[in-house]
Amino acid sequence: GGPASLSRFRGALVAAVLGDCVGGEFEGAEEVPMESVLQHLISLDDDTKGNGILEYSDDTAMARCVVQSLLTRAGFDERDMARRFAKEYSASPGRGYGSGVIQVLKKLSSPQLSDVYQPARDQFNGRGSFGNGGAMRAAPFALAFPDPADVKKFAHRGAMLTHSCSLGYNGAVLQALAVHLSLQGALDLPLKFISTLITQMEDVESDEATLNDARILKEAEKPFCERLHRVSDLMHRSKVSIEEVISELGNGIAALHSVPTAIFCVLHCLQPRECLPENYGGLERTIAYSLALGGDTDTIACMAGAIAGAHYGIEAIPQSWIKCCEGAEDAYMNAERLHMLYQQT
Ligand code: 8NA
Ligand code: MG
Ligand code: MG
């Protein structure tokens, strides 16, 4: 479809759920042979295997809250979103939330709370979380607001409800911007795509809080920009091993070690790759490749899925994969509602 088509909206939201559900199998595994990934994916095609439904985790649980809040309030309302996060956590606490964020979610359920951003600020001795929990749920912001300035502003504020460290919320801004650009068809020109992201993040990371956090945590002056330059360097290489991707970009639970990685997975899989089946399209390649990196597989596949889904559209996702993922059907329908909201604003 053309820029911002309904197919792209559906692709983004459904493939994010898919990455989370399918990636759960390998979450936390240090090494994941591609053979195991392909076996897992083939088993989804086989109804007789009876592997039942693959459940979604915290990534999708929180993204669904973001979606419902944006739709119900027809825009961003921090108190409403915070209330939905807290309610969702208390209804299903076993979705695999990070150990830190659980404390925030418990505090957010207090009716006495006057500032919904305060619990997140109190995390990690006042430094705030730099986990990827803000980024994993950032895609819906790109599906609700057509103006990139709004995408940045609200992805930032939405992430701040749990992640007040700049290395956390700037990961959410980057993920939302990547989905925004992909929806416009920007992945047709991959080099321009990455250079646009770098330009945007140069601006995002030029504020005092970011420079300060980077200094304290001994990161590069503009940490996400530096990582995006590494993505760009890897894109220019004729051969890149999985080990090099992990050592250059990371596969961990920090936003800095997973959002640029997810972006790389999408870019790397725009073309057929030797390590992946020839009959796979780009969306399937992206999911499979993300899982083979190991580490925080559900979250990296979820983020890569959102960006890739916005590029390839819903038609690129195998029906058999959609059928076995909890929440994929809901995502399909919510994408249409977000598409309507996007066109109104
Ligand atoms: P979070 O905010 O609790 O952060 C995740 C972890 O990162 C924390 O528990 C800390 O270990 C570490 N961390 C974050 N900020 C700091 C800091 N300032 N100083 C020191 N350590 C810090 O949770 P989140 O919402 O960001 O979640 C991130 C990931 O954790 C997601 O992938 C999610 O799926 C989850 N996760 C779950 C499991 C599981 O048991 N299922 C395993 C790994 C990760
Ligand atoms: Mg998860
Ligand atoms: Mg995870």
Side-chain angles (χ1 to χ4, degrees):
S5 65
L6 178 56
S7 168
R8 289 180 186 267
F9 275 61
R10 285 178 169 150
L13 217 54
V14 172
V17 174
L18 216 99
D20 178 15
C21 292
V22 174
E25 173 82 4
F26 304 105
E27 190 181 17
E30 224 167 270
E31 253 177 65
V32 182
M34 186 59 88
E35 209 173 300
S36 310
V37 170
L38 298 180
Q39 244 170 40
H40 180 49
L41 292 175
I42 284 167
S43 80
L44 307 181
D45 295 328
D46 189 352
D47 289 339
T48 61
K49 280 266 172 73
N51 38 27
I53 271 282
L54 298 171
E55 289 181 0
Y56 62 73
S57 75
D58 54 338
D59 307 59
T60 301
M62 295 193 89
R64 286 162 61 99
C65 296
V66 172
V67 168
Q68 287 305 340
S69 183
L70 292 172
L71 288 173
T72 311
R73 307 298 302 155
F76 181 67
D77 175 341
E78 62 266 25
R79 298 191 67 84
D80 180 77
M81 198 170 284
R83 202 174 44 76
R84 288 175 193 274
F85 288 154
K87 214 173 146 203
E88 168 59 33
Y89 173 72
S90 77
S92 314
R95 294 272 189 191
Y97 289 87
S99 52
V101 76
I102 290 172
Q103 299 167 43
V104 179
L105 296 173
K106 285 179 178 162
K107 289 184 195 166
L108 286 178
S109 67
S110 162
Q112 277 94 46
L113 188 69
S114 59
D115 179 0
V116 286
Y117 292 108
Q118 194 55 44
R121 285 191 207 110
D122 294 338
Q123 289 294 92
F124 301 99
N125 299 315
R127 184 156 300 158
S129 173
F130 51 60
N132 57 23
M136 73 189 182
R137 60 173 195 257
F141 292 100
L143 306 183
F145 304 102
D147 181 348
D150 287 335
V151 173
K152 284 192 264 191
K153 178 168 69 183
F154 297 123
H156 177 170
R157 291 192 194 161
M160 286 280 277
L161 290 168
T162 50
H163 291 67
S164 75
C165 179
S166 63
L167 279 101
Y169 63 72
N170 282 340
V173 172
L174 173 56
Q175 168 65 10
L177 278 174
V179 175
H180 168 81
L181 289 176
S182 181
L183 274 183
Q184 311 302 319
L187 278 166
D188 289 339
L189 299 170
L191 296 177
K192 174 126 188 282
F193 177 86
I194 195 71
S195 71
T196 304
L197 278 181
I198 292 172
T199 308
Q200 293 270 348
M201 292 307 290
E202 283 283 351
D203 177 48
V204 169
E205 293 196 291
S206 62
D207 74 309
E208 204 46 55
T210 300
L211 299 172
N212 200 36
D213 287 339
R215 204 162 40 235
I216 292 167
L217 291 162
K218 298 195 167 60
E219 294 291 347
E221 193 184 13
K222 294 183 177 180
F224 284 98
C225 287
E226 192 243 2
R227 295 270 159 169
L228 289 172
H229 280 291
R230 292 190 199 185
V231 170
S232 174
D233 291 344
L234 290 174
M235 282 169 74
H236 285 90
R237 299 251 307 271
S238 55
K239 250 191 152 65
V240 186
S241 73
I242 297 251
E243 292 73 21
E244 285 170 300
V245 177
I246 297 170
S247 78
E248 285 294 304
L249 303 176
N251 63 1
I253 55 170
L256 188 62
H257 303 154
S258 50
V259 182
T261 311
I263 291 169
F264 176 75
C265 289
V266 179
L267 290 164
H268 188 68
C269 294
L270 287 170
Q271 299 138 37
R273 294 286 169 185
E274 229 172 72
C275 62
L276 292 160
E278 275 176 38
N279 65 323
Y280 269 18
L283 191 283
E284 293 150 292
R285 288 195 295 269
T286 306
I287 298 285
Y289 191 80
S290 307
L291 304 193
L293 296 181
D296 196 359
T297 48
D298 65 331
T299 303
I300 294 173
C302 170
M303 296 189 295
I307 302 165
H311 176 62
Y312 299 107
I314 189 70
E315 294 79 14
I317 308 178
Q319 269 302 322
S320 58
W321 292 16
I322 295 179
K323 265 196 224 137
C324 55
C325 294
E326 180 193 11
E329 204 53 50
D330 282 356
Y332 184 89
M333 290 185 298
N334 282 331
E336 187 168 353
R337 300 191 183 108
L338 284 168
H339 190 246
M340 272 152 58
L341 178 64
Y342 181 99
Q343 287 173 321
Q344 281 162 22
T345 40

